[in-house]
Amino acid sequence: MTGSVRTQVPAAVPPGGGHLPHVQESSSAWGILPPLALAAVVGLVCAAVLFRRKTLARRYVVASCTVFALVLSLVLVAALRPRDEPHTAAAHGAAAADERPSRPGTPVLRTLRLSGKQVGVLVVPGRPGRNLVGIGADDARAGTAGGGPLRKGQRRPGSAQTWVSVNLPEGSSTLWVSAGGERKSLAVDTGSGRPAAVGALDSADGPECAAAAAGALVAGSDRPLTTCPSDRLTARDAEALRATVRFIAGRGDRSVGLVSDGSPRGRTAAAVVRSAARQEGVALAAPGKGRPVLVTAGWAEATSVTGAVESGRTRAQGVYLAPWLLARSVLTPSAGQLIPLRFTPRTEQAMAYAEALAARLPGEYPSGSGYAAWQRARGEEPEPRPRLFAASTAYVPGTMTSADGGGTSGHHHSAAVADWLPSGMISPVSGPMREG
């Protein structure tokens, strides 16, 4: 069977909302309360004077006091009530953060209005030399020549941004961005000195590295970017891979196809999988022939693998993904994806990250690497043990999924909302997995 899993997971329409709602508080009720309170005070004073002169019955004084107490209560409630709903406050906070200048030598995240649309611009690492610029528009270009030609960008798997590589000088400079026929400038301060380059930004893992930088930025961090997720395999991810191999062996599969890459994380992950497979009596082979596939490569290679399984070019009994492959382009093809995670994507905490990202970088997809950076910046700990999750998307005839996970015209419908997998679900199919 091509791209199947032995656990059925229903497809679902994403929950309503998605984007941060921009709620406008009505001020009409608040505006009428102060005059009403003043009128009540004047009425009470007049009632007291008339009572002292014995021209007003006691019952009218009691009624006046009651009306005054009611009006005073309304005023106090209106004054003490929060003026913003939680999501609105979060959106306002994100907008305020967007206006603060970045610390020199750190990633930059701004929003420009180009051709009538709010377009997010992400610059990483924000230091002298080669920088990766992500722009939320399909036809985007960027460069440092204000009056000259700008470099055309390209889409990359796992991200909704258009990516352009730009060399920035030391200190303050101007980055020019164009989209939809309009060009605007963005002030950038790369700081002083020439620190070591962040090598992964120039590789296929660049968008994942930028996603981690964006996750830290929207969480409020202003620290320099010095490493990328693909630079090393974390202890938690190594344990999750061992648990995944143990899960595969427990299902009776005696061979698995391994797909890795040459990054430091990929090489270490492949070694961990080989060791765990030997202990569990599972043979490693090339993908195909109906055996399960285990992917420890980056977003680009993993997107190719799931696409090949969906199309039938690779016959596989499901695709097991490394924890960092929670990226929309990897999950959207129907390939029977299973992934070990230490969080549930649609919980309140995980959706807070997705919505904050959408507020600061409109249209960008949330990712596991971005959420991990968000958690670190906020001092939050992931769940102690991973669970295996299955990804499933709703089939819509006449639609297709592009390599970056966005919908075009083919097999899937994918809306640009603040959600992990629009028109789909990421559901747990196991309890906490045994590690060690």
Side-chain angles (χ1 to χ4, degrees), residues 83-128:
R83 303 299 299 277
D84 286 310
E85 298 296 330
H87 283 306
T88 310
H92 291 170
D98 195 35
E99 296 301 320
R100 291 197 299 265
S102 300
R103 190 158 64 94
T106 62
V108 177
L109 180 55
R110 289 288 181 271
T111 303
L112 298 177
R113 189 163 186 82
L114 295 167
S115 300
K117 297 180 180 179
Q118 292 297 113
V119 176
V121 180
L122 175 65
V123 183
V124 289
R127 298 207 300 271

Side-chain angles (χ1 to χ4, degrees), residues 120-412:
V121 180
L122 175 65
V123 183
V124 289
R127 298 207 300 271
R130 186 70 61 88
N131 280 258
L132 193 59
V133 180
I135 306 162
D138 290 336
D139 60 342
R141 295 173 178 264
T144 55
L150 302 180
R151 188 171 182 180
K152 184 179 180 180
Q154 62 178 355
R155 297 288 291 272
R156 307 271 289 277
S159 172
Q161 305 299 99
T162 297
W163 297 97
V164 189
S165 184
V166 177
N167 282 308
L168 294 176
E170 185 175 337
S172 299
S173 64
T174 300
L175 175 69
W176 291 89
V177 176
S178 73
E182 187 175 1
R183 177 184 300 212
K184 284 193 176 179
S185 64
L186 179 68
V188 179
D189 190 343
T190 61
S192 59
R194 288 269 177 175
V198 183
L201 287 173
D202 287 331
S203 72
D205 297 315
E208 183 192 359
C209 186
L217 281 170
V218 298
S221 174
D222 64 350
R223 300 182 62 181
L225 179 70
T226 57
T227 62
C228 291
S230 61
D231 288 340
R232 69 182 185 92
L233 179 68
T234 66
R236 286 193 177 104
D237 286 350
E239 288 298 328
L241 289 173
R242 294 187 187 97
T244 300
V245 173
R246 189 176 299 113
F247 181 88
I248 294 172
R251 289 167 60 110
D253 293 308
R254 306 324 301 170
S255 67
V256 62
L258 175 62
V259 179
S260 190
D261 63 15
S263 69
R265 178 183 62 191
R267 293 194 300 269
T268 307
V272 167
V273 169
R274 291 189 186 98
S275 176
R278 283 194 298 270
Q279 292 180 5
E280 299 296 332
V282 176
L284 297 181
K289 298 186 178 180
R291 61 175 63 94
V293 177
L294 176 55
V295 186
T296 63
W299 290 1
E301 182 66 21
T303 299
S304 298
V305 170
T306 56
V309 172
E310 179 189 51
S311 68
R313 298 192 307 274
T314 299
R315 292 182 59 245
Q317 189 67 29
V319 179
Y320 292 85
L321 302 170
W324 56 87
L325 294 176
L326 185 65
R328 188 175 298 183
S329 66
V330 181
L331 300 181
T332 301
S334 294
Q337 294 93 322
L338 292 163
I339 183 169
L341 300 175
R342 297 177 189 269
F343 70 97
T344 301
R346 282 181 178 154
T347 56
E348 181 180 354
Q349 295 87 345
M351 288 305 298
Y353 151 72
E355 292 175 348
L357 181 68
R360 296 286 305 278
L361 202 57
E364 180 58 311
Y365 309 144
S367 66
S369 297
Y371 184 55
W374 159 282
Q375 285 187 304
R376 287 192 298 270
R378 291 164 60 95
E380 298 175 357
E381 287 291 325
E383 294 176 13
R385 293 168 63 189
R387 290 182 295 161
L388 207 60
F389 286 73
S392 105
T393 51
Y395 178 80
V396 180
T399 60
M400 184 169 71
T401 304
S402 61
D404 59 19
T408 55
S409 59
H411 301 305
H412 297 284

